Structure formats: structure tokens, C-alpha cells
């Protein structure tokens, strides 16, 4: 409903984990990516993430896209309602793993660029937004990592 509202000029801006590959891209304005992240497997401090995922048990949040991607790699997803209590390997975006104090692995399950959305035809507004994002690009990741450390930013 948010994308429909911005496409109809009922909203000026939508922020919130929107992938640059959104199917609404032809009907809205997309900002430059403010976050580039990689979905991967992480290991607790002092351990190395596995090179091979086949047969590995990996904690993952219920309903997360990582479940299907882990199964495709031959891993065994262990669905958990709270990643904070999960022991061993975890699936998450690189910024989440950093916030949990986990070392991210080399295997990339998915890459994602996150954008903000404006109404179509709002080129001046989009340009100002892009300039702002460019000037603050390092802060998005830093803020997300800190939020994870404090128990938020799922």
C-alpha cells in the first residue's frame, strides 16, 4: 500500500529496507542505494565460518528469505524466533553479523542494495535526497550495526 500511495503522490517519501529491485521501480522514483549488504553465514567470535554450507546447521529467523537460500546450498536452517539466543552459526546480513559480534563468511547467499522511494517525477526532491545520502553514506551501516548491538534492527 505504501508503494501505491507514493506512486499516487499521497506520500512524499518511503524509507524502510526497500530493495533496489522492487517491482514498483517503473512507477516510482528510487534514490541511490544508502546501504549495500550481503546475506551470508556468520560464526561466533573465535570461530571461522565454514567454507562449505552443505550439512551445516544454521540459525535463521522465522520467515527470513535465508531459509530457502540455505536449503538450496544444502545447509540445514534452524528456525528461531530470536536470533539473540541462537548458538553456533547464524544467517544474516553482514551488518547484522557485525552487530552480533559474528565473523561473516565468504559465501554470499544474496546481495542487496537498499533505497528510499519518492513519487514519480519528483526529480528535484530525488536529487536532494541523493545528495544527502551521498554525504551520509557511512552512517547508515554504522547506525544499523549499533542498533543490532542494542537488540534492535531486525
Amino acid at each position: 500500500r505504501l508503494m501505491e500511495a507514493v506512486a499516487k503522490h499521497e506520500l512524499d517519501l518511503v524509507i524502510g529496507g526497500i530493495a533496489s529491485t522492487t517491482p514498483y521501480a517503473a512507477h516510482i522514483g528510487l534514490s541511490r542505494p544508502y546501504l549495500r549488504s550481503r546475506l551470508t553465514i556468520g560464526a561466533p567470535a573465535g570461530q571461522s565460518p565454514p567454507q562449505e554450507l552443505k550439512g551445516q546447521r544454521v540459525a535463521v529467523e522465522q520467515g527470513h528469505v535465508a531459509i530457502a537460500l540455505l536449503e538450496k546450498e544444502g545447509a540445514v536452517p534452524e528456525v528461531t524466533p530470536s536470533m539473540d539466543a541462537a548458538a553456533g552459526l547464524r544467517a544474516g546480513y553482514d551488518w547484522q553479523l557485525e552487530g552480533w559480534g559474528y565473523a561473516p563468511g565468504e559465501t554470499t547467499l544474496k546481495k542487496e542494495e537498499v533505497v528510499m522511494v519518492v513519487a514519480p517525477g519528483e526529480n528535484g526532491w530525488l536529487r536532494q535526497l541523493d545528495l544527502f545520502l551521498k554525504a551520509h553514506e557511512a552512517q547508515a551501516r554504522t547506525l544499523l550495526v549499533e542498533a543490532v548491538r542494542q537488540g534492535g534492527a531486525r
Side-chain angles (χ1 to χ4, degrees):
R1 294 191 310 192
L2 291 174
M3 296 301 166
E4 291 170 7
V6 79
K8 294 177 185 176
H9 296 263
E10 294 171 356
L11 290 174
D12 294 322
L13 179 66
V14 177
I15 304 169
I18 301 157
S20 61
T21 57
T22 177
Y24 288 93
H27 309 287
I28 55 178
L30 301 179
S31 74
R32 65 178 316 210
Y34 67 88
L35 178 68
R36 288 177 177 84
S37 59
R38 188 172 65 90
L39 181 60
T40 187
I41 304 305
Q47 296 181 20
S48 297
Q51 297 291 325
E52 173 69 35
L53 294 182
K54 189 171 185 164
Q56 297 286 341
R57 302 183 89 63
V58 181
V60 62
E61 277 186 304
Q62 188 171 356
H64 200 287
V65 66
I67 296 170
L69 298 171
L70 288 167
E71 289 172 344
K72 185 177 175 183
E73 294 289 327
V76 181
E78 292 186 334
V79 178
T80 180
S82 173
M83 292 297 281
D84 297 328
L89 300 175
R90 293 182 185 178
Y93 288 98
D94 48 7
W95 52 268
Q96 288 176 307
L97 295 167
E98 183 180 341
W100 292 325
Y102 272 51
E106 297 297 321
T107 302
T108 298
L109 298 172
K110 177 183 176 185
K111 287 184 179 181
E112 189 168 88
E113 292 185 330
V114 183
V115 297
M116 295 182 191
V117 173
V118 300
E122 295 290 343
N123 298 341
W125 171 218
L126 185 58
R127 174 147 168 68
Q128 290 301 310
L129 180 58
D130 281 342
L131 290 171
F132 175 84
L133 292 173
K134 176 71 173 159
H136 297 86
E137 65 186 327
Q139 289 177 302
R141 179 173 295 277
T142 302
L143 291 169
L144 282 169
V145 168
E146 187 56 35
V148 170
R149 286 183 179 141
Q150 295 177 10
R154 303 269 176 235

